[in-house]
Amino acid sequence: MKSTNKGILLAATLFSFLTSYGQKVRYDQIDIYKTKLETAVPVLNVATFHMGETTDANTTEFDENDAKNQKEIKKVAKLLAAFKPTIIIIEDVPQNDSIRKISYSEYLKNPTKKIINANEIELLAFEVGRLSGAKKLYGIDFEEGYNYNIGSSIKTPVDMTTNNSYWQMLKENENKNPEEGIPFYDLFKLNNHPQYLESLMNINADLLTYISTKGKAEGADEAAKFYHRNLVIFSNLNQIPIDKNDRIFILMGGTHTAFLNDFLKRSPKYKLENIFDYLK
C-alpha cells in the first residue's frame, strides 16, 4: 500500500515538473530592468473625499461633526496607521507647513480637543500620524485653475459621442456603486478602488482630450493645466528630505491620488504600497 502511494506521489511530482517546464513565460512578464533604487522608500498613497468646507467642484455629502462618523474615521485611521509612516503628507500648499505643524503638534498633545470645521487632515491624517508616532508633516499641494467645463463652449466638437457615452456609463457605474447612504468604511474603500480612481482621472482630465474642433486641441490644452498641477505636486513631494528608513503616508483628494499612483509606480525613489493590504 505504501509503495503504491509513493508511486502516485512520484508520478504527480513528475507530471507537475514536466507541465511547468513546458510552459513558456511571456516576454512581457519577464523582469528585464531594475526599476527601483536600493534606497527606495515605501509609500502608502491614500485617496479621500474632502470633508468639511471645500472649494472642490466635486463634493460628497458627509457630516464630519457627527460623533458616529468621527468614530468610524478613527477606525480607518487605526488600520492605516499599521503602515507605520514616519512622514505624513497632506493636501495643503507647502507655504502653510509652519502653521499646519503647529496644529499637528497641538493635536498630538490633546487629540480629544474639539476642532471646529474639521476636515480630512485633522480627522484622518493627524490621527494616522499620532497612532504611528510620525513627527514630520508636509503639504505638497499646488494651486492651478483650468476650465473643466470647456465642453459647454465648444459648439461643434469633432468627437460628439465619446463624452456622452462615457458619462452615461459613469452614471450606470455610480448607480451600482452609490456613494450616498453607505457606511464610511465602505465609502472609503470605494474611493480607493483602482477603477474608481481611473474614472476620476477621466472626468477631471482625460475626457477633455475628446473635446476639440478640427485642427485644434482646446480640451487637451485645459487638461494639460491639470496634469501640470499634479506634476508640480509630485515635484513638491520630491523636495521633501527623506532617508532610506522613512515611510511616507499621503492623504489627498482622489484625483491627485490617481495621478500620484502613476508617478509613484514609475519612480525609482519610491515603492508604492497596496492600500488594500491595510483595508481588509
Side-chain angles (χ1 to χ4, degrees), residues 116-139:
I116 306 300
N117 295 323
N119 58 27
E120 67 274 10
I121 295 174
E122 292 91 357
L123 293 172
L124 187 54
F126 281 9
E127 181 66 2
V128 170
R130 183 186 74 84
L131 292 173
S132 60
K135 305 299 182 185
K136 295 174 281 188
L137 179 138
Y138 300 92

Side-chain angles (χ1 to χ4, degrees), residues 234-253:
F234 189 55
S235 176
N236 287 340
L237 173 65
N238 295 333
Q239 295 175 39
I240 293 172
I242 63 172
D243 63 45
K244 63 180 181 180
N245 297 315
D246 276 318
R247 301 173 66 83
I248 302 174
F249 172 86
I250 305 175
L251 184 71
M252 302 192 78

Side-chain angles (χ1 to χ4, degrees), residues 164-183:
N164 291 338
S165 298
Y166 183 86
W167 282 102
Q168 180 59 39
M169 182 173 67
L170 183 66
K171 184 177 180 180
E172 294 171 1
N173 286 333
E174 290 176 344
N175 287 337
K176 293 178 181 178
N177 303 278
E179 296 187 47
E180 306 295 340
I182 63 175

Side-chain angles (χ1 to χ4, degrees), residues 3-47:
S3 60
T4 302
N5 289 340
K6 287 181 179 179
I8 293 173
L9 180 61
L10 179 61
T13 303
L14 180 61
F15 176 78
S16 177
F17 172 78
L18 291 174
T19 301
S20 299
Y21 184 80
Q23 290 178 341
K24 290 184 178 181
V25 179
R26 278 183 9 182
Y27 183 73
D28 63 306
Q29 296 177 343
I30 300 173
D31 288 331
I32 62 170
Y33 273 46
K34 184 176 179 180
T35 61
K36 300 295 179 182
L37 299 172
E38 296 295 337
T39 54
V41 300
V43 179
L44 186 61
N45 187 35
V46 179

